[in-house]
Amino acid sequence: MEEYTGLEIAVIGMAGRFPKAKSIKQFWENLRNGEDCISEFSYEEALEEGESEESLNDPAYVKSNAFLEDKEFFDSNFFNYRPDEAELMDPQVRIFHECCWKALEDSGYSSENPRQNISLFAAGAPNINWGMYSLFKNQEGLVDEYSASNLREITFMSTRVSYKLNLRGPAVFINSACSSSLIAIHQACASLLMGECEMALAGGVRVNNYSRKGYVYEENMILSKDGKCRPFDVDSSGTVGGEGAGIVVLKRLQDAIEDGDNIYAIIKGSSMNNDGSDKVGYTAPSVEGQASLISRAQQMAGVEADSIQYIEAHGTATELGDPIEIEALNEAFAHNTQKHCAIGSVKSNIGHLDTAAGVAGFIKTVLAIHHREIPASLHFTAPNPKINFQDGPFYVN
């Protein structure tokens, strides 16, 4: 323990559902085997899903999506919900119940101990379409309107799951767009270090109300022209939307060691910030903001940049995002040009999971540490010429 600062957090449990993966084990197998889990589908399948013929006949329409299988199912009886209540509940909240339970089970702990203080920091995406559907579904008054509004509203997810699982620590819902689930993990670490809880669950979920629907490609926007996400590649043109859920169970490292917990990996440092107006546009981050954030996280961790062997990037494969991200990393790593640090993005496998994107990349990285193997970043043939790989230590794995 002499090597540690006392600020380390142990990852002692995990659970998740991702495109073409109903478990963490299956997720890892897909990653190590280089599986592209973004699905392609036919004209007829998209039409059956409810897509319009007008959209499907557009030459720019891309028939690709990354979705969860069996997302309509929920063990309502296990969580003591009436079927009418479960039908009105946002599917994201249903899936999050199950993943939280499985993550606790994976950690070897039960939430039934009243003396155990467990917190929950969670992220989910607004779901206006589901809210309208649920509202009309309840016109017969199957559930009283106050309860129905709580069931269909995603912002009640943290307190609802904490109530059902008997979690007695802070219950916080977070929405900061695609950084949400990583912010949840960062806030959970802070809560543990401040002594607000003994254990913490943190993560996020994103589920749509459809599966086999694509999108219309627009040049210089976020979505890919061919249904493939090619981070850092010469042919990169954007990302693909996806669905998923991921939860990690966290504990102060010293406590985890003393309690004999299974430790997948250790969080040595984390940080968060905001760019303010120092960026080219609202949706594009700044080099300075990212570089400052990375440097602060390294300082908290007490690690040298030269010792870091892998970076799990945001890696959306967009025209602005990837070059900015690498330039910020180059600055944070003091423009060391000795190639010692691999880089990758889980979006090449499963697309962009929005509010669950961060935790998906986090779990991928934890599994890479646990298995001592770095999965490949898919669809890379040659570097994007707009990305400055020359002035930094990074290479695409």
Side-chain angles (χ1 to χ4, degrees), residues 79-95:
F79 293 101
N80 197 26
Y81 286 106
R82 292 189 291 113
D84 290 337
E85 293 175 318
E87 280 196 54
L88 300 180
M89 188 187 298
D90 188 328
Q92 297 178 111
V93 182
R94 298 182 204 157
I95 287 171

Side-chain angles (χ1 to χ4, degrees), residues 25 36 44 55 92-93 102 108 123 126 170 177 194 205 210 231 236 256 278 304 323 336 351 356 358 362:
K25 181 180 179 181
D36 185 349
E44 291 73 24
S55 294
Q92 297 178 111
V93 182
K102 289 178 180 178
M194 288 191 293
V205 60
Y210 55 84
S236 61
D278 291 338
E304 297 296 328
N336 181 344
F362 181 88

Side-chain angles (χ1 to χ4, degrees), residues 336-356:
N336 181 344
T337 57
Q338 185 178 353
K339 302 298 179 189
H340 65 79
C341 189
I343 194 165
S345 172
V346 75
K347 292 178 182 64
S348 67
N349 301 88
I350 61 173
H352 194 330
L353 307 193
D354 190 43
T355 43

Side-chain angles (χ1 to χ4, degrees), residues 207-275:
V207 176
N208 299 313
N209 306 319
Y210 55 84
S211 294
R212 292 172 176 84
K213 273 190 180 183
Y215 56 88
V216 175
Y217 168 70
E218 295 179 68
E219 194 172 356
N220 298 325
M221 297 300 286
I222 191 172
L223 295 174
S224 163
K225 65 181 178 183
D226 62 357
K228 301 290 184 184
C229 183
R230 308 172 188 274
F232 319 115
D233 189 68
V234 63
D235 294 323
S236 61
S237 60
T239 190
V240 180
E243 300 179 312
I247 301 289
V248 294
V249 184
L250 307 175
K251 200 172 186 179
R252 289 181 293 272
L253 178 60
Q254 183 68 56
D255 295 342
I257 291 172
E258 290 176 359
D259 294 339
D261 295 321
N262 174 58
I263 298 174
Y264 286 103
I266 297 165
I267 301 171
K268 290 187 66 66
S270 66
S271 185
M272 69 174 179
N273 69 355
N274 179 53
D275 292 307

